[in-house]
Amino acid sequence: MDTLTEVQFWNACSILIHNYHAINRKIFACIIQYVEKILKNIHQYNQDCNQETVSEICNDDVQQLLSGYSNNKLKDDGTEGFVIHLKLLHKKQEASINAIVVINLLDISCILRFQCNELDDFEIKLDTNELKFKLLSSYGDKNNTFRWLEYVFKPKFLKWCRSTNHQTPTTQTSAFKGSLNLIDPEKYNQLYRCLKLKYSQEILKLWQTAEESTDPLKFIYEDLAIAAYLITLWRSDLVKQPTSFADLGCGNGLLVFVLLKEGFKGYGYDIRQRKLWSLYPFEVRKNLYEKVLESYKFDLPSDVNFLIGNHSDELSPWIPVWATTLRYNMNYFLLPCCAFEFSGAKYQRRNSAQSVYSDFCNYVEDVSKRCGFITFKDRLKIPSTKRIAFCGIQRNYAICDHLTKLTEIKEFVKNEQYSHPNSVAGCEVKLRDYKERIKNCTQIDKTILDNLVLKIFFLLLDAQVQCYTINSINSVWQEGGYLTLEELADNLEKSDLNNIKSECGGLKTLLRNKHEIFELLPENRVKIRKPEIRKSVAEQTVKKRKCFFNDNHPQGCPLSDEDCTFIH
């Protein structure tokens, strides 16, 4: 094991204190209630947490405190350590869990004690530049706890120790200090649990009725989390509750549905009506509109003073612009996903040292500031890798300068549109066609698709069949062999490939769509996916389709009818 420094140890402890939920999935978030500076008898606190210590309340940032002492930046004031009082918000239970973290500067150790019978107390210590872990109490299976410490906690803590992003307070404050920085996480957590109980089953039934092909659990829980965030934000001191909102590019209208049901007034706009729209109650349906949103050629009801862009794709860079140009008192919330230019073309990175998503987020933030917004940035807790959100809820210019700002922003957008490599001066900007072309191999004739899947399946099955003896073929379920995408293409007829050539992704997309049959491996290799017993399966996906292996594999499905999630 590599030796660790005291600086690395305290930096990792600081990350742990702010992010205990990163190593325990039962916990939603950690809230630091207050910090005590222990001036004497720190070992007394280590042993029994009694209060016969000399201490004082200190309001300093934990990261700065620990970094200061580990770097010897602070004078020797006799401080022996700190006691940090935490409140842990549970994901499923309403009651929170109180905990204390004892930081012993003398022994270079960190003790976590939880005031509940659910979490185990433990100690982390830096002894001669090596980490040592000690279990102080266990309320469950000790073997499970030791395994958790060894295989979950220890690797994560070591990663934090070696993280270059948290070596100084400066680098820590330049990035996010966690998620949900603009709102009260406790109020958000309570509201999110409430919304899940109220709406998840109702929406799931609507989803099944509409026969939506997208994953319901991801979309439902993601939009419920975004609704909880917006409601908590609107009820905070940071922003006034909007008179009315407009969700631009609202898609299936799920976010609009939840916000309207919770008593807020608003509208949803999209270029195309979705299947779910017709299934919503009338009071929701009447506020969902098919409307083309392009440049400056549309208007909204006069009471709208808050715009929402939730994974709004081509509309994302326009959201702050429209919030500026529609009216002075308009605010916005934007959660960007896919990156696009103002012209509607794919976004071209300005900084090649960053990912497209990171660079696009920086670009959106710059656009927002150019529009005159004091721009707030936050990270949401949603089941998505695209979690950075922007809020424009304050202006940095007076209303008397609004006309000047409009001229400036329109000139900026015009320059951005025509500076794109694919832009043609004088051409009308078109963000998206009314009828979107489907590009995921789902529009191919089902008979052609089924025949192609069978051909690929038997090619893979035959790839290694010569390795089996007659007896082994009868006793072992054949998984076939591996073929690369190139080898598969060489073994298929040109007419087969032409059928999917016009589809986005082609052969690889087809294989991904049939993930219950095929498995894509590194280096573009493909194999048959052996059916396995699934421990946790969403109820709505069980026994809905016939089992491919039961119908087509020479040995049938290796699972029994009870264990297989498909119909035998």
Side-chain angles (χ1 to χ4, degrees):
M1 183 193 300
D2 297 337
T3 57
L4 300 172
T5 65
E6 188 178 340
V7 174
Q8 289 176 311
F9 178 78
W10 291 128
N11 281 333
C13 288
S14 173
I15 298 171
L16 172 65
I17 291 164
H18 286 96
N19 300 278
Y20 179 75
H21 53 279
I23 55 169
N24 190 328
R25 292 188 176 183
K26 295 179 181 178
I27 303 302
F28 171 76
C30 303
I31 299 174
I32 297 177
Q33 295 181 293
Y34 62 96
V35 180
E36 290 181 276
K37 183 187 290 187
I38 307 300
L39 303 175
K40 192 175 181 182
N41 298 336
I42 185 68
H43 290 98
Q44 288 272 339
Y45 221 117
N46 278 5
Q47 293 168 11
D48 53 16
C49 296
N50 74 41
Q51 299 299 318
E52 294 180 5
T53 57
V54 179
S55 65
E56 62 183 36
I57 301 297
C58 106
N59 296 317
D60 294 344
D61 179 76
V62 172
Q63 171 76 17
Q64 292 176 342
L65 278 174
L66 295 182
S67 180
Y69 276 94
S70 62
N71 283 304
N72 296 317
K73 291 178 182 176
L74 302 181
K75 293 181 180 179
D76 184 9
D77 58 0
T79 301
E80 295 185 359
F82 304 96
V83 177
I84 301 160
H85 295 258
L86 300 177
K87 179 190 284 188
L88 307 181
L89 305 181
H90 206 287
K91 279 186 177 178
K92 295 183 178 179
Q93 299 174 7
E94 188 169 346
S96 58
I97 299 170
N98 290 323
I100 62 166
V101 180
V102 182
I103 298 293
N104 189 327
L105 297 173
L106 304 180
D107 294 343
I108 317 180
S109 68
C110 173
I111 293 176
L112 275 81
R113 296 188 185 275
F114 303 96
Q115 297 173 13
C116 71
N117 294 331
E118 184 179 353
L119 303 175
D120 301 323
D121 302 343
F122 59 91
E123 178 184 27
I124 325 155
K125 189 172 184 178
L126 187 65
D127 189 358
T128 60
N129 299 110
E130 288 191 5
L131 283 179
K132 293 187 177 179
F133 299 86
K134 181 180 178 182
L135 184 63
L136 302 179
S137 65
S138 180
Y139 298 101
D141 187 337
K142 280 191 176 182
N143 290 329
N144 286 340
T145 303
F146 283 127
R147 281 196 294 270
W148 177 80
L149 282 172
E150 183 67 25
Y151 298 111
V152 178
F153 179 76
K154 189 176 180 180
K156 180 69 78 172
F157 194 83
L158 281 169
K159 181 181 178 182
W160 288 339
C161 284
R162 300 188 180 103
S163 171
T164 57
N165 295 328
H166 300 273
Q167 288 186 353
T168 67
T170 304
T171 56
Q172 172 71 7
T173 52
S174 63
F176 287 106
K177 289 186 180 179
S179 306
L180 309 179
N181 296 303
L182 299 182
I183 61 173
D184 184 328
E186 190 167 6
K187 291 179 180 178
Y188 166 86
N189 189 38
Q190 290 171 351
L191 179 58
Y192 178 50
R193 286 202 313 269
C194 177
L195 294 181
K196 282 198 294 184
L197 287 172
K198 284 174 71 174
Y199 300 116
S200 58
Q201 290 304 311
E202 179 183 356
I203 297 169
L204 187 55
K205 289 178 182 177
L206 293 175
W207 210 277
Q208 292 169 341
T209 304
E211 297 182 345
E212 285 278 355
S213 58
T214 48
D215 180 8
L217 298 182
K218 177 191 183 299
F219 282 91
I220 291 170
Y221 290 131
E222 183 171 328
D223 280 4
L224 287 175
I226 295 168
Y229 184 91
L230 284 170
I231 294 171
T232 309
L233 178 69
W234 291 340
R235 291 173 177 169
S236 71
D237 295 331
L238 189 62
V239 59
K240 290 182 180 180
Q241 181 174 315
T243 307
S244 184
F245 69 85
D247 185 355
L248 306 182
C250 66
N252 56 41
L254 179 52
L255 181 59
V256 178
F257 167 80
V258 176
L259 292 175
L260 292 180
K261 295 282 276 186
E262 285 299 295
F264 296 90
K265 185 180 179 183
Y267 313 88
Y269 297 89
D270 204 283
I271 196 169
R272 287 179 305 280
Q273 180 174 326
R274 304 300 199 274
K275 295 177 184 177
L276 277 172
W277 288 17
S278 62
L279 301 177
Y280 290 137
F282 173 74
E283 62 270 19
V284 176
R285 290 200 312 271
K286 68 183 179 70
N287 286 349
L288 294 172
Y289 298 95
E290 267 190 349
K291 191 167 188 175
V292 177
L293 305 175
E294 289 182 10
S295 301
Y296 313 102
K297 299 177 181 179
F298 74 97
D299 200 1
L300 297 173
S302 59
D303 59 340
V304 172
N305 61 350
F306 198 97
L307 299 185
I308 297 172
N310 173 20
H311 292 319
S312 43
D313 295 344
E314 292 96 332
L315 304 184
S316 293
W318 284 96
I319 299 294
V321 173
W322 286 334
T324 303
T325 56
L326 285 168
R327 55 192 64 106
Y328 178 79
N329 67 339
M330 184 81 76
N331 298 323
Y332 78 87
F333 165 88
L334 173 62
L335 181 65
C337 182
C338 301
F340 288 88
E341 301 280 352
F342 279 103
S343 63
K346 288 287 186 180
Y347 177 75
Q348 300 293 315
R349 276 185 295 180
R350 274 62 171 171
N351 182 358
S352 59
Q354 293 183 316
S355 68
V356 173
Y357 175 67
S358 296
D359 189 56
F360 183 63
C361 284
N362 290 339
Y363 179 68
V364 167
E365 187 174 11
D366 178 63
V367 171
S368 179
K369 290 176 179 177
R370 286 176 180 272
C371 290
F373 284 103
I374 299 173
T375 307
F376 295 87
K377 190 176 178 181
D378 204 355
R379 181 189 286 121
L380 273 57
K381 281 182 175 265
I382 55 175
S384 172
T385 56
K386 311 291 177 66
R387 299 183 291 147
I388 305 302
F390 299 90
C391 296
I393 47 183
Q394 292 181 26
R395 298 296 177 102
N396 59 13
Y397 64 92
I399 191 170
C400 58
D401 299 322
H402 190 53
L403 290 177
T404 304
K405 178 59 69 175
L406 293 184
T407 303
E408 289 176 6
I409 193 61
K410 287 183 178 181
E411 187 64 28
F412 166 74
V413 171
K414 182 179 178 181
N415 291 335
E416 288 294 293
Q417 288 173 339
Y418 298 143
S419 65
H420 188 273
N422 297 329
S423 297
V424 179
C427 288
E428 183 182 357
V429 175
K430 195 171 184 64
L431 299 181
R432 184 179 288 191
D433 291 330
Y434 175 77
K435 187 174 182 179
E436 187 174 26
R437 184 184 166 209
I438 307 298
K439 300 180 180 180
N440 61 0
C441 290
T442 59
Q443 303 305 296
I444 301 174
D445 183 88
K446 190 177 185 302
T447 304
I448 296 174
L449 203 61
D450 290 344
N451 288 336
L452 188 54
V453 168
L454 277 173
K455 286 181 183 180
I456 296 170
F457 173 73
F458 284 114
L459 283 171
L460 293 170
L461 191 63
D462 294 340
Q464 209 176 23
V465 73
Q466 63 270 22
C467 298
Y468 295 92
T469 65
I470 296 298
N471 290 332
S472 68
I473 288 176
N474 293 330
S475 60
V476 178
W477 194 83
Q478 297 177 49
E479 297 182 50
Y482 301 86
L483 291 174
T484 64
L485 287 172
E486 186 178 0
E487 288 170 335
L488 280 174
D490 289 341
N491 283 279
L492 293 172
E493 298 292 335
K494 284 188 176 180
S495 58
D496 295 327
L497 295 174
N498 287 336
N499 285 324
I500 58 172
K501 189 175 181 180
S502 59
E503 295 288 328
C504 181
L507 185 58
K508 184 179 277 191
T509 300
L510 172 63
L511 296 170
R512 281 177 174 160
N513 287 348
K514 298 294 179 180
H515 57 84
E516 72 278 11
I517 304 172
F518 306 111
E519 187 174 354
L520 278 169
L521 302 169
E523 300 176 358
N524 282 329
R525 294 187 304 159
V526 185
K527 68 181 284 287
I528 293 171
R529 185 186 295 277
K530 184 179 179 180
E532 295 179 345
I533 298 174
R534 297 171 66 182
K535 293 181 181 179
S536 58
V537 187
E539 185 180 347
Q540 68 273 12
T541 64
V542 176
K543 304 294 184 184
K544 299 295 183 184
R545 291 179 289 162
K546 283 188 175 183
C547 176
F548 176 88
F549 297 105
N550 193 58
D551 289 348
N552 299 290
H553 195 285
Q555 295 166 292
C557 179
L559 302 180
S560 67
D561 184 31
E562 289 184 356
D563 292 333
C564 186
T565 56
F566 295 91
I567 300 170
H568 279 197

